[in-house]
Amino acid sequence: VSPETPEATTDAKPKVGGETIDVWTLRTRLWEVQKDSHLLIGAGVICAAAGGSLPLWGFYYLTDFLGQLFQPLADNIQSGVESDSLAVGLLAVGVLFAVTGDFWCFNIAAVRLGRKLRSNGLSAFLRQDMSFFDAEANTAGDLVAFLTEKASTVQALTSDALSNIVRILACLVTVLVVCFVFGPWQLTLALLGIFPGLVLVI
């Protein structure tokens, strides 16, 4: 086959139904399919951000709690320990609710998306001519495996991958804020220098 023929050319853009589309269009279509789960996804993003940020604040207050034990005055120790203990307790409750909300919101949205994708895929298969099913690659087992595999992959991207990305970004932002407010400015500048690289890696 010569390089000029369509069979030999390669296109980096994916094709859906013979139509070449870019990644942004795919994301837009996927977002439209999930229109009934937008609130759940938004709540999941908030919970994931809280789940990535609150533990770091808890660690900060825990270290401050240990520092209060070395105060010279007993009254200062008591007031400092009480305030830090309350903060750590509230943050622990917040982390519990955030992790639970993150898990439930993203997984419910992912299950809804998987159900829609399988339903739409099955409807598309049923609209095909009988000759479509005569092809060796379009047996019933292959089509069922295709629906199961692709829908499960998209579900994982919608739930686990998105949750992890939001949680990691929230963690990085919290580290920058803590270093900027409470830490030395040299450390903050160093983190700002490597922050774009970390975002690209993520």
Side-chain angles (χ1 to χ4, degrees), residues 127-201:
R127 290 194 299 267
Q128 304 300 318
D129 296 330
M130 292 300 297
S131 58
F132 173 81
F133 300 98
D134 293 335
E136 185 177 353
N138 296 333
T139 62
D142 291 334
L143 295 178
V144 171
F146 173 83
L147 285 178
T148 303
E149 177 186 355
K150 300 304 180 183
S152 299
T153 301
V154 175
Q155 280 185 242
L157 292 175
T158 306
S159 56
D160 297 336
L162 181 58
S163 174
N164 291 335
I165 290 174
V166 173
R167 194 179 296 114
I168 292 173
L169 289 177
C171 182
L172 293 176
V173 172
T174 303
V175 169
L176 287 177
V177 171
V178 171
C179 291
F180 182 78
V181 176
F182 304 105
W185 62 270
Q186 295 91 341
L187 179 59
T188 305
L189 289 179
L191 289 175
L192 285 175
I194 65 174
F195 185 74
L198 293 176
V199 173
L200 291 177
V201 170

Side-chain angles (χ1 to χ4, degrees), residues 43-60:
V45 168
I46 294 174
C47 291
S53 175
L54 293 182
L56 296 178
W57 287 107
F59 179 76
Y60 166 77

